[in-house]
Amino acid sequence: MSTQAQDLVAGRSCDGCTMCCKLLAIDVLQKPRGVWCSHCDQKHGCTIYESRPDPCRGFYCGYLRLPQIDDRWKPSKAKFLINYEDAANRIVIHADPARPDAWRADPYLKTIRQWAASARQQGGMVLVWAGSRATIVLPDREIELGTVREDQLIVPVERRTPRGIDVTFEVRDP
Ligand code: SF4
Ligand code: SF4
């Protein structure tokens, strides 16, 4: 689902925040996730704003799009940003490697676990990236996947157990 500027939550803006310029991987710039873009002035924003690549032009994080979260979730404050990846049907938390556990604090984790419960019912997942390290959030626990490459797949695998269907996740090469 593409997002247009008119779909954004009224009153929310990027003012004072440049976190996506650190946390996201931008392939056309060969910028890995979790490191500052060389074009980012952390105080003033993008130094190539008029010619910034398309992935930057079209990106609006969850803070700008989700009315149900409040200003505590602004990435400059929370130290992570939220995105939804349609193709993979997953909610992705991009955590600052300098504060990789910030999303586990109140009020975030409780809400993120609620998203995990909804995602599981719909065949999706909640994934946290902290640099190249990946963690899956489930309604009652987290699964640390360790270092995962950009090209690898994260696949849910269901198993029957005496308690019912359990789910685990495997990292597979493409
Ligand atoms: S992380 Fe979100 S609020 Fe911060 S600059 Fe990027 S799009 Fe704007
Ligand atoms: S090109 Fe500009 S908008 Fe894109 S990541 Fe770099 S600093 Fe941010």
Side-chain angles (χ1 to χ4, degrees), residues 138-157:
L138 296 176
D140 58 347
R141 63 195 157 99
E142 287 82 61
I143 300 174
E144 306 290 342
L145 298 177
T147 298
V148 178
R149 296 194 317 269
E150 295 282 340
D151 64 324
Q152 288 181 305
L153 304 172
I154 299 171
V155 181
V157 179

Side-chain angles (χ1 to χ4, degrees), residues 1 4 9 17 38 45-46 62 89-90 93 95 97 105 107 111-112 127 135 137 149 167-168 174:
M1 181 175 62
Q4 304 298 319
V9 179
C17 182
S38 60
C46 182
N89 187 19
R90 63 191 187 187
I93 312 283
T111 298
I112 292 169
L127 169 66
T135 302
V137 182
R149 296 194 317 269
V167 65
T168 187

